[in-house]
Amino acid sequence: MNQPTEIRAATLTGAQAVVEMLRVHGVEIVFGLCGDTSLPLYDALRDSTLRHILTRDERHAAYMADGYARMTGRIGVCEGPSGGGATYILPGLAEANESSIPVLAINTDISVASRGRYTLTELDQRTLMRPVTKWNAVLDRAADIPRVFRQAFDAMTTGRPGAAHIALPFDVQNAPVDAVDVWGDPSLGVYPSRRGAPDPEMVTLAAKLLRNARAPVFICGGGVVIAGAEAELAELAEKLAAPVATTISGKGSIDERCAHAVGVVGSNGGTPETRAVVDDADVIIFVGCRAGSVTTERWRHPAPGEARIIHIDVDPAVPGRNYPVDVPLIADAKLALRALLEELGDWQREGDLSPVEARKRAKFERFEALARSDETPIRPERVVAELARQLDADATLVADPGTPCPYFSAYYVLRGTGRRYFSNRAHGALGYALAASVGAHLARPNVKTVAVMGDGSFGMCAGELETLVRLKLPITAIVISNATYGWIKAGQRGGYGQRYFSVDFGTTDHAAVARAFGVRSWRVTEPRALAPALKEALAAGEPTLVDIVCQPLHEAKAPVSEWVA
Ligand SMILES: Cc1ncc(C[n+]2csc(CCOP(=O)(O)OP(=O)(O)O)c2C)c(N)n1
């Protein structure tokens, strides 16, 4: 283009404008995988201060962005090319969106000028991404880039946080954008960016209900950690002398060593003891929790109509969806809990937490007896106990579905609050933890990060071991090895009279596979070899993997209520 110098300086390419829009919103890392339609974007990234983490699968780019967002409180950003790049990035968006985690995915696309001509990789990204995002757009012209990115950041961080997707055509990346338009509000790069306070009348009603409660019990979801409401929760629990149970995503709402903490409730990670605390309640206070099927054991605990319900959630659609609600508090969890504290003033409830203590003791005595077992194959309880013993309190642990999720949710006691443990609980797709641990590590590089997965999950994420090696990430991967899709086999055992069908696969030496990628690894078959192998692996300061041959889930005493029953 033959323009005077001053006009050229005032113009960016679309790709440069995209990079600048990320930067002004505080983005520092982009996870992604290259493609033909992404060449202009990569050229702009090359010249920028943004760090690009090249992944081996777009699914994992999105999971990394998700893990990064969970640990930083900032937006996670991922990118991929058109066609397959979009279909592969989608699972990570679906998980993040349903888990209220702000992940922005950018897929480049064929040129606007090539639409409708059987162009290679042409795909209706708008329709594809709509159901799995809070907000999405397909760019048709470069001039819209600044506005569209501002809208994306606003959508991801206000109200209930969620995922956003932008399709960025090839020719749009090359077209000019006026530099004057390229601005953004950095406060929209963190979440929650705009907190909403509760209706004071509802706060008064809730406080009245709490003053008259015989046995109030909190059930906290991921919303408490997202809102950073842990201190307010602890203070209110103290004032109410109330037990605090959590969902799996709500782990981190409360220090699990404290007298108020019940642990995880629900069908996955809950136990008869934690369920009993919920069943005793006459008032349940759901906080940042959707009261979904897992938390409530399919809406049986609490039983509808048994307890009065106060439901605090940022999303007005949540309270009342599954339970008749006495007081809905539509607000940010931190502001709602603080408003309740102010309304209750100096009042203090007299309450006895010793029944909670007794139940926790019973739960952990049973667990510890199994954890001490020298049986082979190694019991999952032993793996949890050994990791809990060896990891520092501030370590990050990411758990995949299968054996890891219920066991670590139930028995890995968090020493402290905030995000230290997470699992992909919206969709529970296998193969999440390894990639999410990469994002988590980059978010918090000074603490130990561990990914725990089943061998089914290993099969879906192993390629990313190369990324760990290339980037020299001191992450430890733990594989619970049982040569079966154990969770499903356990379902066939419990519900179908042991009519096992198409759930077993072959034995793999995962340590040998990892070694071939350049990962230092151990294969552990004997209980006594577990502690020394973990010790070396956790201390190594490089990527490590411990492949543990474990008791299969269908034979284990897993904290999964359907099977216990
Ligand atoms: C992508 C995906 N496909 C299928 C499932 C259904 N599923 C849930 S748990 C499970 C078995 C998990 O097997 P593995 O990772 O080996 O762990 P294990 O249960 O044996 O401990 C399966 C197949 C899923 N969660 N995600």
Side-chain angles (χ1 to χ4, degrees), residues 206-531:
K208 195 170 161 204
L209 193 51
L210 290 172
R211 279 205 178 91
N212 295 319
R214 175 186 52 78
V217 172
F218 288 90
I219 301 181
C220 298
V224 172
V225 178
I226 288 173
E230 299 90 342
E232 287 79 4
L233 174 69
E235 202 180 327
L236 190 58
E238 191 77 44
K239 183 172 281 305
L240 295 171
V244 178
T246 77
T247 69
I248 296 166
S249 300
K251 241 173 128 80
S253 301
I254 187 163
D255 185 329
E256 291 184 317
R257 295 167 302 180
C258 96
H260 295 272
V262 175
V264 166
V265 290
S267 53
N268 187 336
T271 66
E273 294 85 2
T274 63
R275 177 198 286 165
V277 177
V278 172
D279 288 348
D280 281 353
D282 72 330
V283 175
I284 296 278
I285 311 128
F286 284 116
V287 192
C289 164
R290 299 197 294 184
S293 59
V294 172
T295 301
T296 60
E297 301 188 52
R298 300 199 72 79
W299 312 287
R300 290 185 295 233
H301 305 279
E306 287 289 302
R308 313 285 298 272
I309 307 276
I310 297 170
H311 203 144
I312 300 170
D313 205 279
V314 74
D315 183 349
V318 169
R321 177 76 67 96
N322 288 326
Y323 286 93
V325 171
D326 293 272
V327 188
L329 288 174
I330 309 305
D332 171 79
K334 191 180 182 78
L335 296 192
L337 293 172
R338 194 182 290 157
L340 279 171
L341 278 166
E342 279 164 18
E343 182 73 19
L344 289 167
D346 293 336
W347 174 82
Q348 173 67 47
R349 184 174 168 272
E350 295 303 317
D352 178 13
L353 291 167
S354 61
V356 174
E357 204 55 52
R359 285 180 168 134
K360 274 197 286 190
R361 208 176 314 117
K363 166 178 154 178
F364 280 98
E365 276 170 8
R366 200 178 55 241
F367 165 75
E368 275 149 21
L370 295 171
R372 279 192 297 272
S373 164
D374 282 330
E375 281 168 81
T376 50
I378 297 169
R379 283 189 173 272
E381 288 84 356
R382 185 146 179 157
V383 181
V384 179
E386 199 49 54
L387 271 171
R389 200 173 64 75
Q390 294 200 22
L391 285 172
D392 290 337
D394 61 3
T396 307
L397 202 141
V398 191
D400 261 326
T403 303
C405 184
Y407 272 98
F408 283 87
S409 297
Y411 301 126
Y412 183 71
V413 175
L414 284 197
R415 295 161 282 163
T417 56
R419 190 85 74 192
R420 291 151 197 254
Y421 170 82
F422 62 94
S423 185
N424 51 334
R425 289 323 301 159
H427 293 280
L430 303 182
Y432 165 87
L434 186 67
S437 77
V438 171
H441 166 77
L442 293 171
R444 227 176 268 178
N446 297 327
V447 305
K448 182 67 201 179
T449 302
V450 176
V452 192
M453 68 202 77
D455 42 5
S457 277
F458 180 90
M460 298 198 193
C461 69
E464 226 57 61
L465 289 171
E466 187 279 323
T467 307
L468 266 70
V469 172
R470 179 170 21 97
L471 300 177
K472 300 185 175 62
L473 306 178
I475 292 169
T476 297
I478 309 281
V479 184
I480 307 282
S481 218
N482 56 23
T484 183
Y485 289 120
W487 180 279
I488 308 304
K489 193 166 187 178
Q492 291 177 345
R493 177 189 168 118
Y496 292 83
Q498 302 185 36
R499 283 166 52 78
Y500 298 130
F501 175 71
S502 210
V503 284
D504 295 328
F505 47 81
T507 300
T508 301
D509 182 343
H510 304 100
V513 174
R515 215 167 291 127
F517 277 102
V519 175
R520 224 176 125 193
S521 35
W522 293 256
R523 182 163 169 88
V524 179
T525 54
E526 291 302 318
R528 286 179 201 290
L530 182 62

Side-chain angles (χ1 to χ4, degrees), residues 167-235:
L168 178 64
F170 186 84
D171 47 3
V172 170
Q173 296 170 60
N174 289 323
V177 177
D178 193 336
V180 175
D181 294 335
V182 181
W183 55 269
D185 178 350
S187 72
L188 293 174
V190 296
Y191 67 98
S193 62
R194 313 275 189 256
R195 294 176 188 265
D199 179 344
E201 273 182 40
M202 291 295 156
V203 175
T204 306
L205 284 178
K208 195 170 161 204
L209 193 51
L210 290 172
R211 279 205 178 91
N212 295 319
R214 175 186 52 78
V217 172
F218 288 90
I219 301 181
C220 298
V224 172
V225 178
I226 288 173
E230 299 90 342
E232 287 79 4
L233 174 69
E235 202 180 327

